[in-house]
Amino acid sequence: MTIERHHTNDRMSQIVIHNDTVYLSGQVALKAPGASAAEQTKAILDQIDALLAEVGSDKSKALSATIWLCDMADFDAMNGVWDAWATGGAAPCRAAVHSPKLAAPQFTVEIGLIAAR
């Protein structure tokens, strides 16, 4: 059994690959802290695209996504960006969950994703 880990420290890995399945840790908008939910979603999806590309995958191979929102009032703004990203008939299974707090107060959206390689 082979497990690959990328961007790993003592706490976590950003990417884990097992049997051609790519698991991404929850991504927050590192390049857009404190921005609107739409801007944070865009920044996160850009990060996800880069992480998937790094290991030979892409959004067309996304299997499942979990989205955490600090405020469900941001659901439509997040979906506007998500819908533009998840085009081409390859949208993953998805859950959107209200989470009153994320890891730091400047982040209001977090997305975790699983994809095939």
Side-chain angles (χ1 to χ4, degrees):
M1 170 175 67
T2 302
I3 298 173
E4 292 178 48
R5 300 175 198 281
H6 300 260
H7 307 288
T8 299
N9 60 35
D10 288 340
R11 179 174 291 161
M12 64 185 285
S13 297
Q14 289 295 317
I15 306 167
V16 174
I17 302 168
H18 177 258
N19 289 340
D20 286 332
T21 302
V22 179
Y23 302 86
L24 300 184
S25 65
Q27 299 296 306
V28 293
L30 297 174
K31 294 184 178 177
S36 71
E39 292 168 317
Q40 287 193 32
T41 302
K42 172 74 169 99
I44 292 166
L45 294 174
D46 288 347
Q47 287 171 207
I48 286 172
D49 284 339
L51 290 169
L52 291 174
E54 182 179 326
V55 295
S57 187
D58 62 64
K59 67 183 178 182
S60 73
K61 297 175 184 171
L63 302 172
S64 179
T66 303
I67 302 167
W68 295 270
L69 296 167
C70 287
D71 187 343
M72 288 306 280
D74 291 331
F75 187 73
D76 289 340
M78 176 277 298
N79 268 334
V81 177
W82 176 272
D83 290 348
W85 179 80
T87 59
C93 296
R94 193 187 94 166
V97 181
H98 175 245
S99 178
K101 283 180 138 180
L102 296 178
Q106 66 268 32
F107 301 120
T108 59
V109 180
E110 183 168 344
I111 301 175
L113 191 107
I114 301 170
R117 187 147 120 171

